[in-house]
Amino acid sequence: MTPAERTEQIARYRNMVQGDPEDDLAQFRLGQALMEDGQFPEAVEAFERTLKLSPGFSRVYQYLGECLIKEGHRDKAAEVLTRGWATADERGDRLPREAIAKLLVSIGAPVPAPVPPKVEDDGSPDTGFRCQRPGCMEGKRAKPLAAPPVSDEIGTRIQADVCSACWTLWLKDQSIKVINELRLDLSSDFGQGEYDRHMREFFGFEDAPKA
């Protein structure tokens, strides 16, 4: 991505955040774009806003910790990463947990020991399905999709890892925001690529950005 394209991308995410300050995904994407552009102090602010909106979003702790390390704030990074590791461990978010553990080791901070998962009984029937989307609030009420929502590899993964409530949230809310606020033309390769990237990020499928 060229510097001009990066600047345009950051501007688009800023507009999304200004349009809806409660949109945690937009805040997150702004933080990522700023991080990839080397604007670490502003990325820290965006990631901190994301966590206020979605404290269970384990990947955010990883990126926030990386930015704090880049800025030389190792003590704060250790605190953030330790909280993030506990969040990822509790949710079963394996990839963020492993990435956070590596960051903790890199700054000489201890990696917490795993703890047994909490078992809470709120009276809801247990469906036996566990949604893997960061930030999912369904818990044991989560219901699987009856079939892949789209007929490709990503659709198969969504059916395996994502609950029907989170799919509905994406389809009827977040996807519309992404299309409208980024003005995506889904008939173009760029528009479809951006749409797919946001969808993967929403479901927690996206790999970490390159620093």
Side-chain angles (χ1 to χ4, degrees):
M1 183 177 292
T2 67
E5 290 172 333
R6 177 72 66 200
T7 298
E8 182 180 353
Q9 182 187 57
I10 291 172
R12 288 201 304 270
Y13 290 137
R14 288 194 196 279
N15 288 336
M16 289 181 69
V17 167
Q18 290 172 0
D20 184 2
E22 301 300 308
D23 186 344
D24 58 342
L25 186 59
Q27 295 279 6
F28 177 58
R29 296 300 293 180
L30 174 60
Q32 278 189 301
L34 290 166
M35 178 181 177
E36 292 169 5
D37 197 48
Q39 299 184 48
F40 300 116
E42 287 192 72
V44 166
E45 294 178 2
F47 289 138
E48 288 177 339
R49 289 193 296 268
T50 306
L51 287 178
K52 289 182 180 179
L53 296 168
S54 186
F57 201 157
S58 57
R59 181 73 77 179
V60 183
Y61 292 95
Q62 174 193 340
Y63 295 170
L64 175 55
E66 288 186 37
C67 290
L68 290 169
I69 291 172
K70 293 284 188 181
E71 287 295 290
H73 305 308
R74 293 202 167 201
D75 288 344
K76 186 174 180 180
E79 185 271 328
V80 165
L81 291 169
T82 299
R83 285 193 290 119
W85 190 97
T87 299
D89 184 60
E90 182 177 358
R91 287 189 45 79
D93 298 338
R94 181 179 60 83
L95 293 178
R97 183 183 63 190
E98 291 177 355
I100 289 171
K102 290 179 180 179
L103 288 170
L104 285 168
V105 170
S106 74
I107 59 175
V111 178
V115 296
K118 295 180 180 179
V119 179
E120 299 179 356
D121 185 5
D122 61 0
S124 301
D126 191 342
T127 66
F129 180 81
R130 293 293 177 269
C131 181
Q132 300 302 308
R133 184 183 80 84
C136 176
M137 302 299 292
E138 292 299 294
K140 66 183 182 180
R141 299 186 302 272
K143 297 179 181 179
L145 290 161
V150 290
S151 57
D152 57 13
E153 183 179 349
I154 192 66
T156 301
R157 184 172 180 185
I158 290 171
Q159 183 192 19
D161 294 346
V162 176
C163 71
S164 60
C166 286
W167 169 251
T168 299
L169 177 62
W170 165 257
L171 187 65
K172 295 186 176 181
D173 184 17
Q174 292 296 327
S175 68
I176 296 172
K177 288 182 180 179
V178 167
I179 293 170
N180 291 342
E181 295 178 16
L182 292 183
R183 300 178 182 177
L184 297 181
D185 175 7
L186 297 185
S187 66
S188 70
D189 290 341
F190 173 80
Q192 188 62 56
E194 282 292 289
Y195 179 89
D196 290 346
R197 188 158 68 108
H198 278 271
M199 180 175 67
R200 292 176 64 85
E201 190 65 66
F202 179 76
F203 292 129
F205 298 163
E206 197 73 58
D207 293 332
K210 294 180 181 179

